[in-house]
DNA sequence: CGTGAATATACGCCTGGCCATATATTCGAG
DNA sequence: CTCGAATATATGGCCAGGCGTATATTCACG
């Protein structure tokens, strides 16, 4: 994976994408409906941002029946993983990070996510 | 320093600002003309981006005679410093990071930068 | 003061990127 | 084959933000 430095930061610059990535970093693998519910955003919005992340090589997707599961790209460069780790550890109150995770876990009828293959 | 997570990444999303920050991270303190020369960009362009970084609380400036020196803000949160450190260590070839540093050191008549007070 | 060097700001233009809405695709169930 | 659920894409509008150029500010020096 080469992943341009600038490309990662452009991806992280949008709050919706950043929240998705932090959730994926913490949870491993999530499908679109879970992310939609956790962030409380519209489905097309989430889908569009996930497509951007996919095209940038930051996440990878896996279709399973009706659901599409996303996870951080397995070959994501170490430095990029480090950026996410450090960010997750240091988020201030400006991002609803904790609330997103809470909403995710409170979601009824979650499709059974396992782990990113 | 509170520095919103999103604000930092928006700052890093522009290549000019990212290059400035990486140079400041490596060199400690630099004046506008040094950055202008190192990046090979126009003076107003550098100045405008530095102003944004200053307003975001990411860098701080110090006037000394005719020159204005910039450095990473002394109270920059730890996690933000970590992001810069990790990034500097992991830059791929897409950013002229090494070339910028080279151009800086090759610059004639550099004002004597010391260290960020 | 007046002049020139270093830096900052103002202005107008224009592209990129975000959004909401609507529509297309894909797939399992029956 | 049809239908509905989950997801993806297309379209058009809109605004943030980047750029170059021109101009303003600030300061050392004589």
């Amino acid at each position: 994976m080469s992943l341009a430095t600038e490309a990662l930061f452009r991806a992280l610059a949008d709050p919706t994408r950043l929240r998705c990535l932090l959730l994926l970093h913490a949870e491993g693998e999530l499908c679109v409906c879970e992310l939609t519910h956790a962030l409380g955003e519209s489905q097309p919005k989430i889908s569009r941002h996930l497509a951007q992340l996919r095209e940038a090589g930051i996440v990878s997707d896996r279709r399973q029946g009706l659901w599409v599961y996303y996870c951080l790209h397995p070959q994501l460069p170490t430095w990029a993983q480090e950026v996410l780790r450090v960010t997750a550890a240091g988020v201030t109150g400006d991002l609803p990070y904790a609330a997103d995770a809470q909403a995710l876990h409170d979601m009824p009828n979650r499709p059974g996510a396992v782990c990113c293959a």
Side-chain angles (χ1 to χ4, degrees), chain A residues 55-105:
Chain A
E55 285 155 21
I58 299 175
V59 303
S60 81
D61 61 335
R62 172 176 73 91
R63 170 148 232 148
Q64 178 171 315
L66 221 42
W67 295 275
V68 175
Y69 288 96
Y70 284 85
C71 63
L72 296 185
H73 195 291
Q75 281 111 41
L76 193 65
T78 311
W79 67 270
Q81 299 181 24
E82 282 295 292
V83 167
L84 284 176
R85 197 183 53 73
V86 160
T87 303
V91 237
T92 51
D94 59 308
L95 269 198
Y97 178 43
D100 290 346
Q102 189 60 44
L104 173 64
H105 295 128

